[in-house]
Amino acid sequence: MRRGEFEYGDGYENNDLVCCNPNGGYIKPKRITEGMDVLVRKAGVKKIRFHDLRHTHASFLLRIGINPKVAAERLGMTPAMFNERYSHLLPTMQDEAVDRIEAELKKYSEKTLDPVDK
């Protein structure tokens, strides 16, 4: 149960929103932008848009190795849409993948194998 459901009872609109009014209703996008501007100013950080948080989240998920399918689901996108939108972030990750694969192969190539009994 969300906080607003206690306060508004049957008058609470459960629209399954991430950002909503206390009664569960829709917030005008302008109000979210204004609120974000206040938070950014108070934090003393570079001005960003609310929507930029979505891109930051997507980039972060890729950076920490979250499967792109899972990342896409979190953002409400299909994997194809996600890959189209964020594939530009993958080139450096390809280098990291190559390095990790090489390290694993090197471990196995350095192992001494026991002779096989005939």
Side-chain angles (χ1 to χ4, degrees):
M1 205 173 247
R2 296 178 187 200
R3 192 190 89 209
E5 289 179 86
F6 291 115
E7 297 171 22
Y8 290 88
D10 291 339
Y12 183 81
E13 301 172 34
N14 188 353
N15 294 304
D16 198 30
L17 301 172
V18 173
C19 298
C20 63
N21 288 322
N23 71 344
Y26 292 89
I27 297 176
K28 292 180 181 176
K30 179 181 177 184
R31 299 291 175 234
I32 292 174
T33 300
E34 290 169 351
M36 179 74 178
D37 290 346
V38 168
L39 293 173
V40 166
R41 195 169 43 256
K42 282 183 178 181
V45 296
K46 180 183 165 197
K47 184 172 170 55
I48 60 171
R49 300 169 302 149
F50 184 76
H51 187 73
D52 295 333
L53 297 175
R54 177 183 176 87
H55 299 302
T56 301
H57 184 62
S59 302
F60 178 71
L61 293 174
L62 284 174
R63 182 75 184 115
I64 64 171
I66 300 299
N67 183 300
K69 183 180 183 314
V70 173
E73 288 172 1
R74 290 183 59 87
L75 295 167
M77 305 170 84
T78 65
M81 289 168 53
F82 182 83
N83 289 334
E84 177 70 27
R85 180 76 175 129
Y86 296 103
S87 63
H88 69 282
L89 300 173
L90 296 174
T92 58
M93 293 178 183
Q94 289 290 353
D95 294 340
E96 291 171 20
V98 168
D99 292 343
R100 289 173 64 187
I101 292 166
E102 284 178 349
E104 284 299 309
L105 291 173
K106 187 176 180 182
K107 276 196 263 183
Y108 288 103
S109 68
E110 292 173 349
K111 283 187 176 184
T112 23
L113 301 174
D114 294 329
V116 176
D117 292 331
K118 292 189 179 187

